[in-house]
């Protein structure tokens, strides 16, 4: 996997979390922890329902945030899974190559 591609996905995910946290802090007037919590809970589709945007701007932005953020979050999860599968495949290949190797016969 291209490290630049993976880094770009992580940077986009961090940027979405930070921008969501800042947005909800100022628009909804929540504290930093509550804003961060709402951002992560919404992004991960858990949706506890403890915090709900009250302003019209907050509600509209939340719907946009869900569509954009969920796409980036899903892509990040997919890339983590892909990286894990590739790592397992390499390990399996290495293991099979070492199991096939037979030591030299002694005379």
């Amino acid at each position: 996997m291209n490290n630049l591609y993976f880094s770009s996905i992580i940077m986009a995910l961090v940027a979405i979390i930070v921008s969501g946290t800042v947005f909800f802090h100022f628009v909804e007037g929540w504290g930093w922890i509550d804003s961060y919590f709402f951002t992560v809970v919404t992004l991960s589709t858990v949706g506890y329902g403890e915090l709900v945007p009250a302003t019209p701007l907050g509600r509209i932005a939340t719907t946009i945030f869900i569509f954009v953020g969920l796409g980036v979050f899903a892509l990040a999860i997919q890339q983590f899974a892909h990286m894990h599968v590739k790592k397992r495949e390499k390990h399996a290949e290495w293991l099979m190559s070492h199991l096939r190797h037979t030591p030299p016969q002694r005379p």
Side-chain angles (χ1 to χ4, degrees):
M1 177 185 348
N2 186 349
N3 285 336
L4 181 61
Y5 178 68
F6 184 70
S7 297
S8 298
I9 293 171
I10 297 302
M11 295 286 285
L13 187 60
V14 168
I16 287 174
I17 291 172
V18 168
S19 62
T21 301
V22 170
F23 176 83
F24 292 116
H25 174 73
F26 288 110
V27 171
E28 294 297 325
W30 297 336
W32 290 108
I33 298 297
D34 284 341
S35 298
Y36 171 76
F37 178 76
F38 180 78
T39 299
V40 172
V41 165
T42 301
L43 195 62
S44 64
T45 70
V46 172
Y48 287 123
E50 293 177 4
L51 297 168
V52 178
T55 64
L57 178 60
R59 290 179 179 185
I60 291 169
T62 299
T63 60
I64 295 168
F65 176 74
I66 289 169
F67 288 122
V68 173
L70 185 58
V72 174
F73 185 73
L75 185 61
I77 296 296
Q78 185 267 337
Q79 289 301 311
F80 280 128
H82 179 73
M83 188 173 63
H84 181 70
V85 167
K86 288 294 180 190
K87 185 177 178 181
R88 299 268 315 203
E89 286 175 354
K90 285 182 182 180
H91 179 71
E93 288 173 9
W94 176 86
L95 186 60
M96 291 303 292
S97 70
H98 281 77
L99 289 176
R100 287 186 196 142
H101 177 69
T102 56
Q105 298 274 334
R106 291 188 182 176

